[in-house]
Amino acid sequence: MRALRILLILVVVLGGLFVIVDRVAVHFAEGEAADKLKATENLASTPDVDIKGFPFLTQVAGGSLDDVEVGIKDYEAATGKAGQTIRIDDLKADMKGVDFSGDYSSATAATATGTATISYAELLKTAKSEPTDVGLGVKARVVGLSDGGNGKIKVAVKVKGTVAGAIPVDQTVSVLSSVTVENDKVQVHADSLPAIGNLALAENRVRTITDFQQAIDRLPGGIQLDKVQAAPDGVKVSVKGSDVKLAG
């Protein structure tokens, strides 16, 4: 009985040591992966990397991690225009089946899904801020974006001018718009055109103001836009990808 008791104590102690060693190892690996990702993506701050699953060491022995979560607070995404970026808030991605090299210099996830937010202030930069002629002596520009409810964006349009050289027009009108993703572009499209008095403005001219799109290129690891929906603090974006590179 004494020998059995000693054996059980040893098992418990060794098990505890294994857990400690495992947690130390995963903490080290998370730090290494975060540093590599920061360098690879040229990030301003170090991202959060959380390696899921236990034990970690057995995953390392197999050369593949089951589940890795990555969080980037502020990511400056390219827009396809020279020198112009758009800030993406709280980009979070869940990487599955991550194969990596022994020194963590390269790591590739079989699949990835995630979410991010683009604030209305950032998206507003895409809309036309300069007054644009929409006909009949009237000029218009987008002055605000906000949540319109039910997944819609409310677009505020400032309309100003003098019709026929005599009738002054100066008002801000709102239009509910749908937001979609197509070919890595966030697209805003008015469901119907705003009513501006009884003026019969040309639809194609008005839509040059109300409708616009924002390209978002080169997201981390090659993930791509999937879906988008309006929310109180901005548009919520879903992302996905395959063979996503975390590093290397």
Side-chain angles (χ1 to χ4, degrees):
M1 289 295 294
R2 183 181 178 187
L4 179 60
R5 191 159 49 245
I6 293 173
L7 179 60
L8 289 174
I9 292 172
L10 286 174
V11 169
V12 171
V13 170
L14 291 175
L17 289 174
F18 176 78
V19 171
I20 292 172
V21 171
D22 190 82
R23 293 303 88 190
V24 170
V26 75
H27 181 71
F28 173 78
E30 287 170 345
E32 288 292 302
D35 290 340
K36 294 292 185 182
L37 181 58
K38 179 182 179 181
T40 300
E41 298 294 338
N42 193 29
L43 302 177
S45 60
T46 304
D48 294 325
V49 175
D50 185 7
I51 299 174
K52 302 292 186 179
F54 178 84
F56 166 70
L57 292 174
T58 58
Q59 296 182 67
V60 171
S64 179
L65 303 176
D66 298 332
D67 189 357
V68 179
E69 290 184 358
V70 175
I72 302 173
K73 289 297 182 183
D74 297 302
Y75 182 78
E76 296 290 335
T79 62
K81 297 180 181 179
Q84 186 180 93
T85 61
I86 184 169
R87 189 181 73 252
I88 297 178
D89 301 324
D90 295 325
L91 175 60
K92 297 177 181 178
D94 188 10
M95 314 285 187
K96 302 291 188 183
V98 181
D99 294 329
F100 59 92
S101 61
D103 60 356
Y104 305 106
S105 60
S106 65
T108 303
T111 61
T113 57
T115 59
T117 301
I118 302 173
S119 71
Y120 288 119
E122 284 293 304
L123 193 58
L124 182 61
K125 295 176 182 179
T126 303
K128 289 188 177 180
S129 58
E130 295 298 322
T132 301
D133 183 11
V134 291
L136 300 178
V138 175
K139 292 187 176 182
R141 64 189 178 96
V142 174
V143 294
L145 301 176
S146 60
D147 180 26
N150 297 319
K152 302 289 185 179
I153 293 179
K154 183 166 69 175
V155 181
V157 181
K158 178 71 173 179
V159 182
K160 191 171 184 178
T162 303
V163 181
I167 305 173
V169 175
D170 187 354
Q171 65 182 117
T172 299
V173 296
S174 296
V175 57
L176 288 179
S177 299
S178 297
V179 57
T180 57
V181 167
E182 185 175 343
N183 298 325
D184 287 331
K185 294 183 178 71
V186 175
Q187 304 199 44
V188 179
H189 181 81
D191 294 350
S192 60
L193 296 182
I196 306 173
N198 58 0
L199 300 179
L201 301 175
E203 178 176 343
N204 60 338
R205 288 192 182 185
V206 177
R207 284 199 178 278
T208 63
I209 305 300
T210 60
D211 298 2
F212 56 92
Q213 62 184 19
Q214 174 63 70
I216 299 178
D217 296 333
R218 296 194 296 277
L219 289 173
I223 56 177
Q224 296 179 318
L225 302 182
D226 183 26
K227 298 177 183 178
V228 64
Q229 185 175 30
D233 56 344
V235 291
K236 297 294 185 182
V237 179
S238 297
V239 297
K240 66 178 182 178
S242 56
D243 295 327
V244 176
K245 290 188 176 297
L246 279 77

